[in-house]
């Protein structure tokens, strides 16, 4: 099955305790696509500027990602500059330039129309909804968002949530949307807004999958660990890589059984752990499916009693 | 097998978003003993004041905990007052009165001498070391500590660490002792000081067991989850209850296989989750082994792929 993803393809300048990189290829849709491409066909909808050339295009092509939905516009690509010097788990944003993204109007190529899976990466919820509405026949829709949209664009975001099967967010975002400092209460409040499945990412502590309005804890909740890493080189894109592994694995399955969702949580964590090992998308570009499955086994050993 | 535990038996006044309790029975040795008593024989070494009467004694007796090592001294018992109003995961201390604990000299009853397991709960490391030295024949020694001893009594603490097989601490304590903001690096630095096994507790995110100086992650590391709780009534003693479940389960095993340590991590998390459900030791006092094993299964479902 194929996933269509809409989101940012961008350049990032990143500083972490491990060093600094200028203008490396980034953006939520980039990380998501690379991670998902190890499991299924991926088709991207985004906009880039004149600074996006054959070298960047080749990164997608090498992973057989369909880039016909990447629009080339006059001007510069979306740019983000941030650092993780004080806290490796929390980015400090120094600069955000929307550039060509400011007037982005997503256009869906005809060849993308038969996608069964749709991922709405973190962009303006108005655009997320537009893409969702334009693809009414998808079987499963997942999405992401961030604090800025939750705080200042709540109504537009709630329209998106109504159309989502699965929402993937982090602890802080879940507590903001759900209006509770208790994660379980927040999860229930978020699911009441639409998504019947909720993945809350806990950074270095893994992630929890909530299903429906849990009557009994344990029956409906699943926790995947994160890998204890001796060095987090660059956490940028770890959440998007998680989403790509999670949703990509689901798209590769014939049937969406409860077991498939559990394994998808593990593959999400696996892809997130790889993303942190090098700057930007470096590690995802060099990865093999064999390495992914070997790490899946490590995650199993890390958590299973037998 | 029997565990001897040395630590505080105290009174706590606690305020959480769920309410307030005045002077409920508490102290690290109390939580530890109650939790461990579901798995093995437990013998306590502590000191209490004249405010500790038959009612408190009965809490231990009901769980068949040996209290012959609880010394009764003139004056008042150790008293702690704290709240969790802003952050349910972090106690704010309002008052600490050492009282009879200020001049505590641990005495080990002859009947305790054949204990195979020793737990040094969070008290002055000088006292921890004295008890450790007085029981040279124990097979396995575990211990706990806190930020105060790490910061201001480092040398005495390092003497204790040399004599420990297992140290159980939380993230902040591990990073303080290990001198690194990265948990894996901190863990290695802590283990270099003595303990060959290290349990780092992550609060609502579970706990990680580190073995030796991990060459390859996954071979030597194990993560147990915590239960996503809809309401944390009172987190006081959750860490000590974890330690009691963990060490108590180990003491109940004929052989300390890697599998026994994994199950012990789960039982630790199970006992920690129960402790949070009511104020003070209320939930541990009412618990049954059947409830414990039922929750163990929930923890398995929460984490296992199949």
């Amino acid at each position: 099955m194929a996933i269509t993803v809409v989101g940012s393809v961008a350049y990032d300048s990143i500083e972490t305790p491990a060093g600094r990189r200028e203008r490396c290829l980034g953006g939520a849709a980039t990380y998501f696509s690379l991670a998902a491409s190890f499991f299924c066909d991926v088709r991207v909808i985004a906009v880039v500027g004149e600074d996006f050339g054959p070298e960047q295009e080749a990164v997608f092509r090498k992973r057989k990602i369909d880039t016909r939905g990447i629009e080339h516009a006059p001007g510069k690509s979306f740019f983000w500059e941030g650092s993780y010097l004080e806290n490796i788990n929390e980015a400090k944003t120094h600069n955000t330039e929307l550039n060509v993204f400011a007037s982005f109007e997503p256009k869906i190529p005809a060849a993308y129309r038969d996608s069964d899976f749709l991922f709405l990466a973190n962009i303006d919820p108005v655009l997320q909804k537009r893409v969702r509405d334009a693809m009414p026949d998808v079987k499963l829709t997942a999405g992401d968002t961030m604090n800025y949209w939750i705080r200042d664009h709540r109504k537009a975001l709630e329209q998106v949530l109504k159309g989502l099967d699965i929402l993937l967010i982090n602890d802080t975002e879940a507590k903001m949307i759900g209006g509770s400092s208790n994660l379980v209460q927040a999860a229930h409040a978020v699911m009441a807004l639409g998504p019947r499945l909720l993945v809350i990412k806990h950074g270095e502590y893994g992630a929890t999958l909530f299903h429906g309005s849990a009557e009994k804890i344990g029956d409906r909740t699943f926790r995947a660990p994160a890998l204890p890493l001796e060095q987090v080189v660059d956490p940028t894109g770890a959440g998007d890589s998680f989403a790509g592994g999670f949703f990509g694995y689901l798209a590769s399955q014939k049937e969406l059984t409860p077991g498939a969702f559990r394994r998808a949580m593990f593959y999400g964590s696996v892809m997130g752990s790889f993303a942190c090992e090098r700057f930007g998308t470096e590690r995802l570009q060099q990865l093999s499916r064999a390495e992914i499955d070997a790490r899946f086994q490590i995650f199993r050993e890390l958590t299973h009693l037998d």
Side-chain angles (χ1 to χ4, degrees), chain A:
Chain A
M1 304 245 209
I3 298 177
T4 286
V5 50
V6 58
S8 57
V9 171
Y11 286 98
D12 296 333
S13 287
I14 302 161
E15 191 166 7
T16 82
R20 190 176 165 89
R21 290 291 185 283
E22 303 296 339
R23 296 185 60 76
C24 46
L25 181 63
T30 306
Y31 284 100
F32 178 93
S33 300
L34 288 173
S37 72
F38 290 93
F39 304 93
C40 67
D41 292 335
V42 184
R43 301 152 171 183
V44 189
I45 299 170
V47 61
V48 293
E50 291 150 327
D51 47 7
F52 184 95
E55 199 190 323
Q56 287 75 36
E57 182 80 28
V59 171
F60 292 85
R61 287 282 168 81
K62 198 183 151 209
R63 294 289 327 141
K64 299 190 167 39
I65 297 163
D66 195 328
T67 57
R68 284 176 287 179
I70 299 184
E71 183 188 339
H72 292 253
K76 289 173 82 178
S77 298
F78 183 95
F79 173 72
W80 177 79
E81 186 179 356
S83 67
Y84 305 82
L85 295 179
E86 280 164 40
N87 182 351
I88 192 73
N89 296 309
E90 202 179 311
K92 190 171 169 182
T93 293
H94 300 288
N95 190 13
T96 304
E97 296 172 9
L98 282 179
N99 299 327
V100 295
F101 235 84
S103 54
F104 179 40
E105 292 281 348
K107 292 163 202 71
I108 300 158
Y112 286 18
R113 295 271 167 196
D114 64 350
S115 303
D116 282 316
F117 285 66
L118 175 62
F119 188 75
L120 309 171
N122 168 35
I123 46 168
D124 186 335
V126 171
L127 300 183
Q128 289 181 314
K129 181 157 188 337
R130 207 170 293 163
V131 174
R132 176 69 187 86
D133 290 346
M135 296 185 76
D137 299 328
V138 293
K139 287 186 185 152
L140 204 69
T141 305
D144 187 8
T145 190
M146 69 181 287
N147 50 8
Y148 173 71
W149 310 115
I150 299 168
R151 203 175 42 228
D152 298 337
H153 298 257
R154 175 92 189 192
K155 278 192 180 167
L157 178 61
E158 286 187 1
Q159 292 303 312
V160 175
L161 295 181
K162 280 183 193 168
L164 285 188
D165 298 296
I166 311 172
L167 177 67
L168 295 100
I169 47 180
N170 67 29
D171 291 60
T172 309
E173 291 155 359
K175 289 173 181 176
M176 278 178 81
I177 299 177
S180 170
S181 64
N182 176 285
L183 205 62
V184 182
Q185 288 178 22
H188 293 170
V190 172
M191 286 186 287
L193 296 172
R196 60 188 172 83
L197 292 163
L198 174 63
V199 177
I200 303 184
K201 294 166 285 176
H202 316 306
E204 63 174 315
Y205 299 119
T208 305
L209 172 68
F210 293 91
H211 303 234
S213 53
E215 298 98 53
K216 196 185 142 204
I217 292 161
D219 282 1
R220 294 172 173 276
T221 309
F222 184 68
R223 282 212 160 168
L227 194 66
L229 287 173
E230 196 146 354
Q231 195 191 17
V232 173
V233 172
D234 174 14
T236 310
D240 303 311
S241 304
F242 182 106
F246 173 84
F247 210 47
Y249 179 76
L250 287 179
S252 77
Q253 296 296 291
K254 278 186 189 150
E255 244 190 299
L256 294 181
T257 60
F261 279 98
R262 289 171 176 243
R263 291 189 298 275
M265 288 291 287
F266 268 52
Y267 277 112
S269 258
V270 162
M271 299 310 288
S273 75
F274 279 122
C276 295
E277 290 184 349
R278 301 272 185 285
F279 275 97
T281 59
E282 285 172 24
R283 188 69 180 95
L284 297 183
Q285 289 187 42
Q286 291 156 357
L287 204 55
S288 73
R289 181 64 197 250
E291 286 178 298
I292 293 169
D293 288 326
R295 185 157 293 184
F296 184 94
Q297 287 308 319
I298 289 176
F299 272 70
R300 180 191 279 268
E301 284 168 32
L302 188 66
T303 51
H304 282 49
L305 291 166
D306 313 303

